[in-house]
Amino acid sequence: MRTMIVGVHYPAIHAVFEMMMQELKELALALNIEVQYSFVQNLPVPDKQTYLGSGKVSELRQFIQTEAIDLVLFNEELTSVQYLYFQDQLDCAIEDRTSLILRIFEQRARSREAILQVGIARLKYTLPRLVGAHRELTGQQGGSGFRGSGETQLENDRRLLHQKLQRYEKELRQIAKERQTQRDKRKKSDLPIVALVGYTNSGKSTLLNALVDEKKVFEKDMLFATLQTATRYCETDDHLPFLLTDTVGFISFLPHELIQAFRSTLEEIREADLIIQVIDVSHPEYTKHIETTEQVLESLGVKDIPMLYVYNKIDKGNIVFLQTREPHLLISAKEKTNLDQLKRFLGKTLFGNLERYQLWIPYAQGETFAMIMRHVHVNEVQYQENGIYMDIETLPSFKKKLESFIILN
Ligand SMILES: Nc1nc2c(ncn2[C@@H]2O[C@H](COP(=O)(O)OP(=O)(O)OP(=O)(O)O)[C@@H](O)[C@H]2O)c(=O)[nH]1
Ligand SMILES: [Mg+2]
């Protein structure tokens, strides 16, 4: 497939323009589409109706013809007006950034929840652009100005899509409710929750896998490898337990339809006690990745949660490290470099204010004993004749579960 990318370079996106164009190529590559040509116009702002200036459109049309281009990818999300305009003007397939990202998500979605979320985002994207698809289907019969069968058909299709959207949203609400129940249960377990966030492909899933022993999650060198939130049991260097959550990665200009659709999944981040932002420090644009990540977090209403900046992939030679955020650590998830340091940090941050108790547990309370062993830091255990003596350290919030076993001095 002969493919080209087209972008308008204007002051408002000047700082990220090159990165966006490069990313657009990578997004295409994630769908096995190789980009051959790039077409850029400098403008003060993109044209509201035609995105490019009108002279440039003829030039583009000419180029498409001469080079036999099959597909044009636009650097940004086109408005429905712009989209329809290009559909009319260009003699090849067109797709914008949002649609491309949606396609990747569609390809990767496996769980029912992810499929619904992506489906909703796609429907919301498609509905306002339906006219164009129709004009193509119904051929040239428009233009004479009467309400032909095409238009009734259009109304029909729109209604069907609306109904589908409502069905999806209803089902997703149900799943979101279940997710909330799971979350509440997790909260009740009193284990602190740590969320991994960051730009796509920065190494979040690899880090999670490096920190847990079993039930590995999917990691791969591609954009948006993870669509499904996964939570795993984990321990600090002192064997203090916490939960670690891996989430979908971010990207600049992440379509708002997707953020909205993935809200229930991403809300897990809001309930974290600590956020680890994973940054691919070998990427030339990593400081922009940090900014993007923080913008997305803000749009999700994530605030006032302590954040640790973990600069990953230090094993790759080409690192120019300019520290911008604190607290931070430099690691390699792949080579497992400095993970001890990370675990120590987590221990200090999550369990810094541990309280020490002496417990006495009768043998009849075997289950409680097992539960306590799992959830606290144990200094000493003595199996005595009538019961078990324990010297432990734990978070103050866990005290109420232990109350009846505490030995008062
Ligand atoms: N060299 C090197 N590669 C790494 C390191 N950590 C992760 N990678 C690679 O980076 C790629 C992406 O890793 P993932 O863990 O899937 O990234 P992610 O952040 O989960 O990505 P998404 O799920 O797409 O958001 C994989 O090919 C990893 O092997 C590292 O420390 N060093
Ligand atoms: Mg991942």
Side-chain angles (χ1 to χ4, degrees):
M1 183 144 53
R2 294 174 65 78
T3 306
M4 68 186 293
I5 56 177
V6 173
V8 174
H9 190 162
Y10 54 101
I13 61 164
H14 173 68
V16 288
F17 181 75
E18 286 307 327
M19 177 177 98
M20 285 176 77
M21 290 291 272
Q22 183 55 36
E23 254 171 23
L24 192 65
K25 282 190 206 163
E26 284 163 29
L27 287 165
L29 213 54
L31 291 161
N32 291 321
I33 300 169
E34 219 170 301
V35 173
Q36 280 91 19
Y37 299 100
S38 169
F39 197 86
V40 176
Q41 183 176 27
N42 291 300
L43 285 177
V45 281
D47 190 282
K48 276 203 173 69
Q49 254 91 44
T50 61
Y51 189 57
L52 303 166
S54 57
K56 208 71 182 172
V57 176
S58 335
E59 205 181 303
L60 177 62
R61 203 169 32 220
Q62 192 59 49
F63 189 87
I64 287 170
Q65 225 160 36
T66 332
E67 297 297 330
I69 300 291
D70 305 296
L71 174 65
V72 172
L73 300 172
F74 289 92
N75 190 33
E76 296 172 81
E77 179 172 321
L78 298 177
T79 64
S80 47
V81 174
Q82 291 165 342
Y83 188 88
L84 298 177
Y85 171 74
F86 282 117
Q87 226 174 25
D88 237 28
Q89 292 288 315
L90 304 182
D91 204 13
C92 67
I94 61 168
E95 195 153 13
D96 65 10
R97 182 183 207 85
T98 300
S99 173
L100 208 56
I101 295 176
L102 284 172
R103 258 217 279 165
I104 299 173
F105 272 63
E106 280 158 355
Q107 236 183 40
R108 309 264 200 267
R110 291 284 174 274
S111 71
R112 184 68 191 155
E113 184 179 28
I115 290 169
L116 288 171
Q117 287 170 321
V118 179
I120 288 169
R122 173 60 82 183
L123 285 166
K124 286 192 171 160
Y125 172 85
T126 306
L127 269 162
R129 293 171 177 81
L130 205 56
V131 195
H134 244 280
R135 210 183 287 160
E136 232 167 46
L137 283 178
T138 51
Q140 307 308 318
Q141 61 171 280
S144 56
F146 68 91
R147 265 177 80 94
S149 66
E151 218 159 315
T152 348
Q153 184 61 33
L154 175 64
E155 286 306 316
N156 222 2
D157 284 3
R158 201 175 272 156
R159 196 167 40 83
L160 287 175
L161 289 187
H162 260 298
Q163 283 168 355
K164 192 166 169 188
L165 182 60
Q166 281 170 348
R167 259 200 332 273
Y168 277 19
E169 284 180 327
K170 192 171 160 202
E171 199 183 329
L172 186 63
R173 271 199 299 277
Q174 189 55 39
I175 297 180
K177 231 194 269 167
E178 285 159 22
R179 188 176 271 289
Q180 184 63 47
T181 317
Q182 274 173 15
R183 264 205 308 254
D184 291 347
K185 231 191 269 168
R186 239 180 262 147
K187 261 196 184 154
K188 263 198 219 118
S189 81
D190 269 324
L191 295 187
I193 298 170
V194 178
L196 295 165
V197 306
Y199 219 70
T200 177
N201 216 37
S202 61
K204 300 176 291 298
S205 302
T206 308
L207 179 56
L208 180 129
N209 286 338
L211 291 171
V212 304
D213 296 325
E214 49 195 324
K215 282 187 58 184
K216 306 279 184 201
V217 297
F218 181 58
E219 53 175 82
K220 195 169 177 199
D221 187 14
M222 63 182 187
L223 301 183
F224 303 116
T226 305
L227 289 195
Q228 199 54 37
T229 304
T231 299
R232 295 285 183 275
Y233 178 90
C234 214
E235 291 182 353
T236 67
D237 61 329
D238 259 346
H239 304 292
L240 289 162
F242 65 94
L243 297 173
L244 189 61
T245 295
D246 182 24
T247 49
V248 54
F250 302 158
I251 195 166
S252 56
F253 295 82
L254 192 61
H256 58 97
E257 295 95 339
L258 271 177
I259 296 184
Q260 236 181 11
F262 275 78
R263 197 163 261 282
S264 61
T265 314
L266 291 168
E267 263 169 6
E268 306 246 340
I269 301 170
R270 284 219 301 244
E271 309 202 354
D273 298 284
L274 173 75
I275 293 176
I276 296 180
Q277 184 177 160
V278 182
I279 302 140
D280 175 358
V281 71
S282 73
H283 196 289
E285 302 284 5
Y286 75 86
T287 51
K288 285 181 189 133
H289 294 178
I290 298 175
E291 283 164 23
T292 301
T293 302
E294 289 180 348
Q295 281 159 14
V296 179
L297 288 177
E298 200 182 307
S299 75
L300 289 167
V302 176
K303 53 174 192 278
D304 301 330
I305 301 178
M307 173 143 11
L308 168 67
Y309 296 86
V310 165
Y311 294 87
N312 188 31
K313 308 199 188 181
I314 54 163
D315 57 289
K316 287 185 149 185
N318 58 335
I319 310 282
V320 187
F321 181 60
L322 298 162
Q323 169 47 24
T324 51
R325 305 286 206 274
E326 289 295 346
H328 83 277
L329 287 175
L330 290 156
I331 68 156
S332 162
K334 196 171 167 192
E335 308 287 329
K336 303 202 175 191
T337 314
N338 288 346
L339 296 191
D340 296 350
Q341 231 177 314
L342 174 59
K343 285 186 170 191
R344 248 197 319 279
F345 179 94
L346 292 174
K348 267 212 312 261
T349 314
L350 300 172
F351 304 98
N353 53 347
L354 289 189
E355 288 179 357
R356 190 163 176 176
Y357 301 105
Q358 280 77 46
L359 310 177
W360 179 259
I361 303 158
Y363 282 116
Q365 302 271 348
E367 257 174 53
T368 313
F369 175 66
M371 185 273 289
I372 292 172
M373 285 297 275
R374 272 200 310 274
H375 288 86
V376 305
H377 177 65
V378 179
N379 293 325
E380 193 186 350
V381 184
Q382 288 176 19
Y383 298 89
Q384 299 184 356
E385 210 172 308
N386 308 321
I388 305 165
Y389 168 83
M390 294 181 87
D391 180 346
I392 62 136
E393 284 173 62
T394 186
L395 284 175
S397 60
F398 201 63
K399 186 183 175 189
K400 57 182 181 299
K401 294 213 168 142
L402 306 173
E403 214 109 58
S404 52
F405 306 106
I406 294 175
I407 303 172
L408 301 167
N409 296 314

